Amino acid sequence: MADSITVLAPGLLTTLQDAGRYGYQASGFSPAGAMDYPAMRTANLLVGNSPDMPVLEMTLAGLSCEFNCDCVFAMTGARMDAKLNGRPCKRYRTQRAAEGDVLTVGSALLGCRGYLAIGGGFDVSPVMGSCATSLKFGLGGFDGKKLSAGDVLKLQTPGVPYRKRTAKVPWHLRKDRSYFGDIHIRCVLGPQEEAFTAEGLRTFLSAPYKVTPASDRMGIKLEGAQIEAKDGYDIISDGIAMGCVQVPASGMPIVMMADRQTTGGYTKIATVITPDLHHLAQLKPGDTVTFHAVSADEARKLYRAYIQKLRKEEYDFLRF
Amino acid sequence: MEAKQGSASSPVFKPCGDCNLSVCFGTVIAPEINARVAALNASIQEKPPHGVLETVPTYTSLLVRYDPCKVSYDKLCERLRRRSDAQGSKAAAAAKRTFVIPVCYGGAFGEDLPFVAAHNNLTEAEVIAIHTGTDYLIYMLGFLPGFAYLGGLDKRIHTPRLTNPRTKIPAGAVGIGGEQTGIYPLASPGGWQLIGQTPVRPYDPNRKEPILYQAGDRIRFRAVSAQEYAELSAQAEAGKAVWEVRNG
């Protein structure tokens, strides 16, 4: 059989994701892409792929699959109980699989979304510049669908040489500090913070908010103290950036994520800073968040430091 | 209402987090404000300023995604302000296109046409004549790929949305929802009153240009018979353009 893996059980929601389909938001396309971008990158780097290649994103419960060829793989993100041929299999390091091996990824013990990268990558044609799956539009990935049992996912071979040596990310560099269920998220107030009362802003920046089960790739829906607006929660529809915190008439905030609609008519009280988005991606229903405001200037500094850190990580792997 | 607010003054810049900013031209839905959004957007598309990655034009503002590692916020705002001031709303006027979209109204193609007519004390033919009698400005795209927010629906055919939204509306359905009219680009749930059906697909992932039109373009509907609809559908299936574009 050609180089591929066979899906034995797909898990709750497993999709192919990459860095996202950017450049089409003006036409109404959500960018999609991995919710936990740094975890996706690390998974790729561990197997010798370039960092933005498509990987499998598993939600809450992982997949089981059989390898139809020898390959290397790596798992990052949520701590999911993974076994290769029944033996425990560590995350954040390069793993080897032989033809006929079976990988079973169980439910998430810490965090929400796990990533599986395979050396060489998946053999998928990009749609509009990206392999990210958009379930809403049936676009990208494997025919725009989530994985189901029996799917055979072709791998890219030959050509892309995979990492021969085993790589491992040391504990202190892993990105799981957010997985402990009670986190602080930094944001920049606005673009419509003036639509809220002083009391409303104070509530937003002090009250703990609980993640509801309605949260998904479109948005992290929160519940807690009601945020008071001055004069209604509706605005003339405008563009929605990644991480925007919308407050609809319920007064409960929603953080807009990868599958968000591109435009919307609810007030946006704040925007989560890019370096903190992946923490949100790992929240499970019942976890709590509190929001802290940073100035827009500070946020841009933090962004630059974050990008530098990602680049340094890439460089470290290249040198490895 | 501050009807003309923003149409002459300089735009307002607001940060949206660390890598997006919003350029706001006004606080009311008006063609002249939207034209300024379109003009700045066209200028950016034509020659993107250093560090700008993507834009999303909407009714009164332009969302700009940029790379803060490449350009500082203040510098970018300054550049965009200068461009916008120089541009006014000229460019958008020059680039205007009108898409003529064939629609088969009523019957099985638009089952709510009788309701829309009855609600407004008109005959079905009058509703069709009014609906096809205007050019509609595409203020923005959003909600679904290729979904156009159109302005200019005649007051005489405003009709409230359905109380119970339909769970599935076919792609190409033409409807009225309150003061809005539009085309469903994808099969989706929806609460609009369906008055007709077009063989045109505003969104076709297999077409060279997957999205037919842009914000700033205009749409004009043209009534066709069931027979012509069938012919046009067959042509559309074969990959032919069944719409007409008028420039200027």
Side-chain angles (χ1 to χ4, degrees), chain A residues 116-152:
Chain A
L116 171 65
I118 298 188
F122 295 91
D123 187 11
V124 171
S125 314
V127 181
M128 295 156 64
S130 164
C131 294
T133 310
S134 170
L135 291 175
K136 197 157 83 173
F137 313 141
L139 195 73
F142 303 105
D143 294 328
K145 294 193 186 98
K146 61 177 185 174
L147 297 194
S148 19
D151 284 356
V152 177

PDB file of all heavy atoms in Angstrom, chain A residues 116-152:
ATOM      1  N   LEU A 116      -1.164  16.044  15.790  1.00  0.00           N
ATOM      2  CA  LEU A 116      -0.372  14.920  15.318  1.00  0.00           C
ATOM      3  C   LEU A 116       0.239  15.301  13.970  1.00  0.00           C
ATOM      4  O   LEU A 116      -0.473  15.586  13.012  1.00  0.00           O
ATOM      5  CB  LEU A 116      -1.265  13.673  15.165  1.00  0.00           C
ATOM      6  CG  LEU A 116      -0.632  12.465  14.487  1.00  0.00           C
ATOM      7  CD1 LEU A 116       0.516  11.897  15.315  1.00  0.00           C
ATOM      8  CD2 LEU A 116      -1.680  11.372  14.255  1.00  0.00           C
ATOM      9  N   ALA A 117       1.571  15.324  13.947  1.00  0.00           N
ATOM     10  CA  ALA A 117       2.271  15.600  12.683  1.00  0.00           C
ATOM     11  C   ALA A 117       2.990  14.335  12.260  1.00  0.00           C
ATOM     12  O   ALA A 117       3.436  13.549  13.107  1.00  0.00           O
ATOM     13  CB  ALA A 117       3.271  16.735  12.869  1.00  0.00           C
ATOM     14  N   ILE A 118       3.093  14.119  10.951  1.00  0.00           N
ATOM     15  CA  ILE A 118       3.797  12.958  10.421  1.00  0.00           C
ATOM     16  C   ILE A 118       4.896  13.440   9.484  1.00  0.00           C
ATOM     17  O   ILE A 118       4.671  14.378   8.690  1.00  0.00           O
ATOM     18  CB  ILE A 118       2.817  12.002   9.710  1.00  0.00           C
ATOM     19  CG1 ILE A 118       1.791  11.514  10.750  1.00  0.00           C
ATOM     20  CG2 ILE A 118       3.553  10.831   9.059  1.00  0.00           C
ATOM     21  CD1 ILE A 118       0.866  10.443  10.314  1.00  0.00           C
ATOM     22  N   GLY A 119       6.076  12.838   9.614  1.00  0.00           N
ATOM     23  CA  GLY A 119       7.229  13.246   8.807  1.00  0.00           C
ATOM     24  C   GLY A 119       6.904  13.199   7.318  1.00  0.00           C
ATOM     25  O   GLY A 119       6.405  12.198   6.826  1.00  0.00           O
ATOM     26  N   GLY A 120       7.155  14.286   6.604  1.00  0.00           N
ATOM     27  CA  GLY A 120       6.828  14.357   5.179  1.00  0.00           C
ATOM     28  C   GLY A 120       5.502  15.053   4.946  1.00  0.00           C
ATOM     29  O   GLY A 120       5.299  15.678   3.925  1.00  0.00           O
ATOM     30  N   GLY A 121       4.584  14.920   5.895  1.00  0.00           N
ATOM     31  CA  GLY A 121       3.298  15.619   5.802  1.00  0.00           C
ATOM     32  C   GLY A 121       2.241  14.828   5.063  1.00  0.00           C
ATOM     33  O   GLY A 121       2.516  13.769   4.493  1.00  0.00           O
ATOM     34  N   PHE A 122       1.020  15.343   5.073  1.00  0.00           N
ATOM     35  CA  PHE A 122      -0.103  14.693   4.410  1.00  0.00           C
ATOM     36  C   PHE A 122      -0.154  15.133   2.954  1.00  0.00           C
ATOM     37  O   PHE A 122       0.156  16.269   2.619  1.00  0.00           O
ATOM     38  CB  PHE A 122      -1.411  15.052   5.112  1.00  0.00           C
ATOM     39  CG  PHE A 122      -1.464  14.520   6.516  1.00  0.00           C
ATOM     40  CD1 PHE A 122      -1.014  15.289   7.584  1.00  0.00           C
ATOM     41  CD2 PHE A 122      -1.909  13.232   6.765  1.00  0.00           C
ATOM     42  CE1 PHE A 122      -1.035  14.788   8.877  1.00  0.00           C
ATOM     43  CE2 PHE A 122      -1.932  12.730   8.057  1.00  0.00           C
ATOM     44  CZ  PHE A 122      -1.493  13.507   9.118  1.00  0.00           C
ATOM     45  N   ASP A 123      -0.570  14.203   2.094  1.00  0.00           N
ATOM     46  CA  ASP A 123      -0.627  14.494   0.666  1.00  0.00           C
ATOM     47  C   ASP A 123      -2.003  15.065   0.336  1.00  0.00           C
ATOM     48  O   ASP A 123      -2.933  14.328   0.008  1.00  0.00           O
ATOM     49  CB  ASP A 123      -0.374  13.201  -0.119  1.00  0.00           C
ATOM     50  CG  ASP A 123      -0.264  13.471  -1.605  1.00  0.00           C
ATOM     51  OD1 ASP A 123      -0.174  14.659  -1.983  1.00  0.00           O
ATOM     52  OD2 ASP A 123      -0.270  12.508  -2.378  1.00  0.00           O
ATOM     53  N   VAL A 124      -2.124  16.371   0.465  1.00  0.00           N
ATOM     54  CA  VAL A 124      -3.404  17.041   0.265  1.00  0.00           C
ATOM     55  C   VAL A 124      -3.147  18.261  -0.607  1.00  0.00           C
ATOM     56  O   VAL A 124      -2.151  18.954  -0.420  1.00  0.00           O
ATOM     57  CB  VAL A 124      -3.977  17.486   1.629  1.00  0.00           C
ATOM     58  CG1 VAL A 124      -5.185  18.374   1.441  1.00  0.00           C
ATOM     59  CG2 VAL A 124      -4.344  16.288   2.477  1.00  0.00           C
ATOM     60  N   SER A 125      -4.054  18.520  -1.583  1.00  0.00           N
ATOM     61  CA  SER A 125      -3.861  19.720  -2.405  1.00  0.00           C
ATOM     62  C   SER A 125      -4.464  20.913  -1.688  1.00  0.00           C
ATOM     63  O   SER A 125      -5.601  20.841  -1.216  1.00  0.00           O
ATOM     64  CB  SER A 125      -4.561  19.584  -3.745  1.00  0.00           C
ATOM     65  OG  SER A 125      -4.286  18.324  -4.286  1.00  0.00           O
ATOM     66  N   PRO A 126      -3.729  22.002  -1.637  1.00  0.00           N
ATOM     67  CA  PRO A 126      -4.284  23.185  -1.000  1.00  0.00           C
ATOM     68  C   PRO A 126      -5.461  23.750  -1.797  1.00  0.00           C
ATOM     69  O   PRO A 126      -5.505  23.630  -3.016  1.00  0.00           O
ATOM     70  CB  PRO A 126      -3.122  24.181  -0.984  1.00  0.00           C
ATOM     71  CG  PRO A 126      -1.968  23.523  -1.622  1.00  0.00           C
ATOM     72  CD  PRO A 126      -2.378  22.189  -2.152  1.00  0.00           C
ATOM     73  N   VAL A 127      -6.439  24.293  -1.093  1.00  0.00           N
ATOM     74  CA  VAL A 127      -7.555  25.004  -1.724  1.00  0.00           C
ATOM     75  C   VAL A 127      -7.390  26.469  -1.344  1.00  0.00           C
ATOM     76  O   VAL A 127      -7.303  26.792  -0.157  1.00  0.00           O
ATOM     77  CB  VAL A 127      -8.912  24.494  -1.189  1.00  0.00           C
ATOM     78  CG1 VAL A 127     -10.061  25.240  -1.872  1.00  0.00           C
ATOM     79  CG2 VAL A 127      -9.036  22.998  -1.388  1.00  0.00           C
ATOM     80  N   MET A 128      -7.318  27.338  -2.317  1.00  0.00           N
ATOM     81  CA  MET A 128      -7.112  28.762  -2.080  1.00  0.00           C
ATOM     82  C   MET A 128      -5.949  28.978  -1.110  1.00  0.00           C
ATOM     83  O   MET A 128      -6.048  29.704  -0.123  1.00  0.00           O
ATOM     84  CB  MET A 128      -8.400  29.393  -1.534  1.00  0.00           C
ATOM     85  CG  MET A 128      -9.542  29.359  -2.536  1.00  0.00           C
ATOM     86  SD  MET A 128     -11.173  29.426  -1.805  1.00  0.00           S
ATOM     87  CE  MET A 128     -11.132  31.034  -1.047  1.00  0.00           C
ATOM     88  N   GLY A 129      -4.863  28.299  -1.423  1.00  0.00           N
ATOM     89  CA  GLY A 129      -3.624  28.568  -0.699  1.00  0.00           C
ATOM     90  C   GLY A 129      -3.469  27.899   0.650  1.00  0.00           C
ATOM     91  O   GLY A 129      -2.485  28.142   1.340  1.00  0.00           O
ATOM     92  N   SER A 130      -4.416  27.035   1.054  1.00  0.00           N
ATOM     93  CA  SER A 130      -4.294  26.435   2.377  1.00  0.00           C
ATOM     94  C   SER A 130      -4.935  25.054   2.417  1.00  0.00           C
ATOM     95  O   SER A 130      -5.871  24.762   1.662  1.00  0.00           O
ATOM     96  CB  SER A 130      -4.964  27.339   3.413  1.00  0.00           C
ATOM     97  OG  SER A 130      -5.193  26.647   4.613  1.00  0.00           O
ATOM     98  N   CYS A 131      -4.433  24.207   3.316  1.00  0.00           N
ATOM     99  CA  CYS A 131      -5.031  22.873   3.504  1.00  0.00           C
ATOM    100  C   CYS A 131      -5.958  22.841   4.705  1.00  0.00           C
ATOM    101  O   CYS A 131      -6.474  21.785   5.073  1.00  0.00           O
ATOM    102  CB  CYS A 131      -3.935  21.834   3.691  1.00  0.00           C
ATOM    103  SG  CYS A 131      -2.924  21.611   2.230  1.00  0.00           S
ATOM    104  N   ALA A 132      -6.152  23.986   5.354  1.00  0.00           N
ATOM    105  CA  ALA A 132      -6.993  24.021   6.554  1.00  0.00           C
ATOM    106  C   ALA A 132      -8.420  23.602   6.222  1.00  0.00           C
ATOM    107  O   ALA A 132      -8.962  23.982   5.190  1.00  0.00           O
ATOM    108  CB  ALA A 132      -6.992  25.416   7.160  1.00  0.00           C
ATOM    109  N   THR A 133      -9.032  22.793   7.094  1.00  0.00           N
ATOM    110  CA  THR A 133     -10.404  22.344   6.886  1.00  0.00           C
ATOM    111  C   THR A 133     -11.370  23.391   7.417  1.00  0.00           C
ATOM    112  O   THR A 133     -11.270  23.806   8.564  1.00  0.00           O
ATOM    113  CB  THR A 133     -10.654  21.035   7.659  1.00  0.00           C
ATOM    114  OG1 THR A 133      -9.613  20.114   7.352  1.00  0.00           O
ATOM    115  CG2 THR A 133     -12.009  20.435   7.301  1.00  0.00           C
ATOM    116  N   SER A 134     -12.296  23.810   6.555  1.00  0.00           N
ATOM    117  CA  SER A 134     -13.374  24.668   7.004  1.00  0.00           C
ATOM    118  C   SER A 134     -14.641  23.833   6.946  1.00  0.00           C
ATOM    119  O   SER A 134     -15.180  23.579   5.881  1.00  0.00           O
ATOM    120  CB  SER A 134     -13.487  25.884   6.093  1.00  0.00           C
ATOM    121  OG  SER A 134     -14.672  26.576   6.390  1.00  0.00           O
ATOM    122  N   LEU A 135     -15.094  23.341   8.098  1.00  0.00           N
ATOM    123  CA  LEU A 135     -16.246  22.436   8.122  1.00  0.00           C
ATOM    124  C   LEU A 135     -17.505  23.153   7.654  1.00  0.00           C
ATOM    125  O   LEU A 135     -18.337  22.576   6.952  1.00  0.00           O
ATOM    126  CB  LEU A 135     -16.462  21.889   9.532  1.00  0.00           C
ATOM    127  CG  LEU A 135     -15.388  20.917  10.025  1.00  0.00           C
ATOM    128  CD1 LEU A 135     -15.639  20.550  11.475  1.00  0.00           C
ATOM    129  CD2 LEU A 135     -15.350  19.656   9.167  1.00  0.00           C
ATOM    130  N   LYS A 136     -17.632  24.420   8.018  1.00  0.00           N
ATOM    131  CA  LYS A 136     -18.837  25.175   7.678  1.00  0.00           C
ATOM    132  C   LYS A 136     -19.011  25.283   6.165  1.00  0.00           C
ATOM    133  O   LYS A 136     -20.114  25.192   5.656  1.00  0.00           O
ATOM    134  CB  LYS A 136     -18.729  26.564   8.309  1.00  0.00           C
ATOM    135  CG  LYS A 136     -20.050  27.288   8.381  1.00  0.00           C
ATOM    136  CD  LYS A 136     -20.072  28.360   9.458  1.00  0.00           C
ATOM    137  CE  LYS A 136     -19.452  29.635   8.959  1.00  0.00           C
ATOM    138  NZ  LYS A 136     -19.576  30.759   9.877  1.00  0.00           N
ATOM    139  N   PHE A 137     -17.912  25.472   5.438  1.00  0.00           N
ATOM    140  CA  PHE A 137     -18.014  25.651   3.987  1.00  0.00           C
ATOM    141  C   PHE A 137     -17.654  24.378   3.223  1.00  0.00           C
ATOM    142  O   PHE A 137     -17.632  24.391   2.003  1.00  0.00           O
ATOM    143  CB  PHE A 137     -17.098  26.791   3.514  1.00  0.00           C
ATOM    144  CG  PHE A 137     -17.216  28.036   4.351  1.00  0.00           C
ATOM    145  CD1 PHE A 137     -16.096  28.784   4.649  1.00  0.00           C
ATOM    146  CD2 PHE A 137     -18.440  28.440   4.841  1.00  0.00           C
ATOM    147  CE1 PHE A 137     -16.203  29.932   5.422  1.00  0.00           C
ATOM    148  CE2 PHE A 137     -18.561  29.582   5.620  1.00  0.00           C
ATOM    149  CZ  PHE A 137     -17.436  30.328   5.910  1.00  0.00           C
ATOM    150  N   GLY A 138     -17.319  23.295   3.940  1.00  0.00           N
ATOM    151  CA  GLY A 138     -16.930  22.060   3.273  1.00  0.00           C
ATOM    152  C   GLY A 138     -15.721  22.248   2.378  1.00  0.00           C
ATOM    153  O   GLY A 138     -15.667  21.780   1.247  1.00  0.00           O
ATOM    154  N   LEU A 139     -14.734  22.949   2.911  1.00  0.00           N
ATOM    155  CA  LEU A 139     -13.603  23.391   2.099  1.00  0.00           C
ATOM    156  C   LEU A 139     -12.283  22.952   2.741  1.00  0.00           C
ATOM    157  O   LEU A 139     -12.149  22.988   3.957  1.00  0.00           O
ATOM    158  CB  LEU A 139     -13.669  24.923   2.083  1.00  0.00           C
ATOM    159  CG  LEU A 139     -12.861  25.678   1.064  1.00  0.00           C
ATOM    160  CD1 LEU A 139     -13.517  25.511  -0.289  1.00  0.00           C
ATOM    161  CD2 LEU A 139     -12.841  27.148   1.439  1.00  0.00           C
ATOM    162  N   GLY A 140     -11.329  22.566   1.914  1.00  0.00           N
ATOM    163  CA  GLY A 140      -9.985  22.276   2.417  1.00  0.00           C
ATOM    164  C   GLY A 140      -9.885  20.933   3.116  1.00  0.00           C
ATOM    165  O   GLY A 140     -10.866  20.214   3.264  1.00  0.00           O
ATOM    166  N   GLY A 141      -8.687  20.581   3.557  1.00  0.00           N
ATOM    167  CA  GLY A 141      -8.453  19.327   4.272  1.00  0.00           C
ATOM    168  C   GLY A 141      -8.839  18.136   3.415  1.00  0.00           C
ATOM    169  O   GLY A 141      -8.578  18.094   2.218  1.00  0.00           O
ATOM    170  N   PHE A 142      -9.511  17.156   4.025  1.00  0.00           N
ATOM    171  CA  PHE A 142      -9.961  15.973   3.302  1.00  0.00           C
ATOM    172  C   PHE A 142     -11.404  16.221   2.864  1.00  0.00           C
ATOM    173  O   PHE A 142     -12.342  15.960   3.612  1.00  0.00           O
ATOM    174  CB  PHE A 142      -9.850  14.730   4.185  1.00  0.00           C
ATOM    175  CG  PHE A 142      -8.443  14.519   4.698  1.00  0.00           C
ATOM    176  CD1 PHE A 142      -8.111  14.800   6.017  1.00  0.00           C
ATOM    177  CD2 PHE A 142      -7.437  14.087   3.849  1.00  0.00           C
ATOM    178  CE1 PHE A 142      -6.821  14.632   6.480  1.00  0.00           C
ATOM    179  CE2 PHE A 142      -6.137  13.919   4.300  1.00  0.00           C
ATOM    180  CZ  PHE A 142      -5.824  14.193   5.621  1.00  0.00           C
ATOM    181  N   ASP A 143     -11.582  16.800   1.674  1.00  0.00           N
ATOM    182  CA  ASP A 143     -12.912  17.138   1.128  1.00  0.00           C
ATOM    183  C   ASP A 143     -13.738  17.988   2.076  1.00  0.00           C
ATOM    184  O   ASP A 143     -14.967  17.870   2.117  1.00  0.00           O
ATOM    185  CB  ASP A 143     -13.692  15.859   0.790  1.00  0.00           C
ATOM    186  CG  ASP A 143     -13.043  15.086  -0.338  1.00  0.00           C
ATOM    187  OD1 ASP A 143     -12.449  15.735  -1.214  1.00  0.00           O
ATOM    188  OD2 ASP A 143     -13.113  13.841  -0.324  1.00  0.00           O
ATOM    189  N   GLY A 144     -13.089  18.814   2.859  1.00  0.00           N
ATOM    190  CA  GLY A 144     -13.827  19.711   3.746  1.00  0.00           C
ATOM    191  C   GLY A 144     -14.508  19.012   4.907  1.00  0.00           C
ATOM    192  O   GLY A 144     -15.411  19.574   5.512  1.00  0.00           O
ATOM    193  N   LYS A 145     -14.093  17.761   5.171  1.00  0.00           N
ATOM    194  CA  LYS A 145     -14.784  16.992   6.215  1.00  0.00           C
ATOM    195  C   LYS A 145     -13.863  16.681   7.389  1.00  0.00           C
ATOM    196  O   LYS A 145     -12.644  16.712   7.259  1.00  0.00           O
ATOM    197  CB  LYS A 145     -15.273  15.667   5.632  1.00  0.00           C
ATOM    198  CG  LYS A 145     -16.337  15.813   4.575  1.00  0.00           C
ATOM    199  CD  LYS A 145     -16.973  14.454   4.305  1.00  0.00           C
ATOM    200  CE  LYS A 145     -17.942  14.532   3.146  1.00  0.00           C
ATOM    201  NZ  LYS A 145     -17.373  14.100   1.876  1.00  0.00           N
ATOM    202  N   LYS A 146     -14.498  16.336   8.526  1.00  0.00           N
ATOM    203  CA  LYS A 146     -13.719  15.792   9.627  1.00  0.00           C
ATOM    204  C   LYS A 146     -13.417  14.334   9.308  1.00  0.00           C
ATOM    205  O   LYS A 146     -14.089  13.729   8.462  1.00  0.00           O
ATOM    206  CB  LYS A 146     -14.459  15.944  10.950  1.00  0.00           C
ATOM    207  CG  LYS A 146     -15.790  15.233  11.028  1.00  0.00           C
ATOM    208  CD  LYS A 146     -16.390  15.410  12.425  1.00  0.00           C
ATOM    209  CE  LYS A 146     -17.671  14.600  12.557  1.00  0.00           C
ATOM    210  NZ  LYS A 146     -18.218  14.631  13.915  1.00  0.00           N
ATOM    211  N   LEU A 147     -12.446  13.748   9.984  1.00  0.00           N
ATOM    212  CA  LEU A 147     -12.078  12.372   9.681  1.00  0.00           C
ATOM    213  C   LEU A 147     -13.182  11.409  10.107  1.00  0.00           C
ATOM    214  O   LEU A 147     -13.892  11.650  11.081  1.00  0.00           O
ATOM    215  CB  LEU A 147     -10.798  11.982  10.428  1.00  0.00           C
ATOM    216  CG  LEU A 147      -9.513  12.748  10.100  1.00  0.00           C
ATOM    217  CD1 LEU A 147      -8.309  12.011  10.661  1.00  0.00           C
ATOM    218  CD2 LEU A 147      -9.354  12.920   8.603  1.00  0.00           C
ATOM    219  N   SER A 148     -13.321  10.312   9.370  1.00  0.00           N
ATOM    220  CA  SER A 148     -14.193   9.238   9.837  1.00  0.00           C
ATOM    221  C   SER A 148     -13.458   7.918   9.711  1.00  0.00           C
ATOM    222  O   SER A 148     -12.446   7.811   9.003  1.00  0.00           O
ATOM    223  CB  SER A 148     -15.523   9.200   9.080  1.00  0.00           C
ATOM    224  OG  SER A 148     -15.436   9.884   7.875  1.00  0.00           O
ATOM    225  N   ALA A 149     -13.986   6.922  10.413  1.00  0.00           N
ATOM    226  CA  ALA A 149     -13.348   5.608  10.439  1.00  0.00           C
ATOM    227  C   ALA A 149     -13.238   5.071   9.015  1.00  0.00           C
ATOM    228  O   ALA A 149     -14.176   5.203   8.228  1.00  0.00           O
ATOM    229  CB  ALA A 149     -14.147   4.657  11.314  1.00  0.00           C
ATOM    230  N   GLY A 150     -12.119   4.482   8.693  1.00  0.00           N
ATOM    231  CA  GLY A 150     -11.933   3.903   7.372  1.00  0.00           C
ATOM    232  C   GLY A 150     -11.228   4.826   6.396  1.00  0.00           C
ATOM    233  O   GLY A 150     -10.760   4.384   5.345  1.00  0.00           O
ATOM    234  N   ASP A 151     -11.140   6.116   6.723  1.00  0.00           N
ATOM    235  CA  ASP A 151     -10.431   7.051   5.834  1.00  0.00           C
ATOM    236  C   ASP A 151      -8.970   6.628   5.702  1.00  0.00           C
ATOM    237  O   ASP A 151      -8.342   6.231   6.683  1.00  0.00           O
ATOM    238  CB  ASP A 151     -10.442   8.470   6.420  1.00  0.00           C
ATOM    239  CG  ASP A 151     -11.793   9.163   6.265  1.00  0.00           C
ATOM    240  OD1 ASP A 151     -12.674   8.552   5.634  1.00  0.00           O
ATOM    241  OD2 ASP A 151     -11.955  10.279   6.781  1.00  0.00           O
ATOM    242  N   VAL A 152      -8.463   6.693   4.480  1.00  0.00           N
ATOM    243  CA  VAL A 152      -7.041   6.434   4.257  1.00  0.00           C
ATOM    244  C   VAL A 152      -6.386   7.767   3.898  1.00  0.00           C
ATOM    245  O   VAL A 152      -6.775   8.401   2.916  1.00  0.00           O
ATOM    246  CB  VAL A 152      -6.836   5.393   3.136  1.00  0.00           C
ATOM    247  CG1 VAL A 152      -5.351   5.188   2.865  1.00  0.00           C
ATOM    248  CG2 VAL A 152      -7.494   4.073   3.514  1.00  0.00           C
TER     249      VAL A 152
END
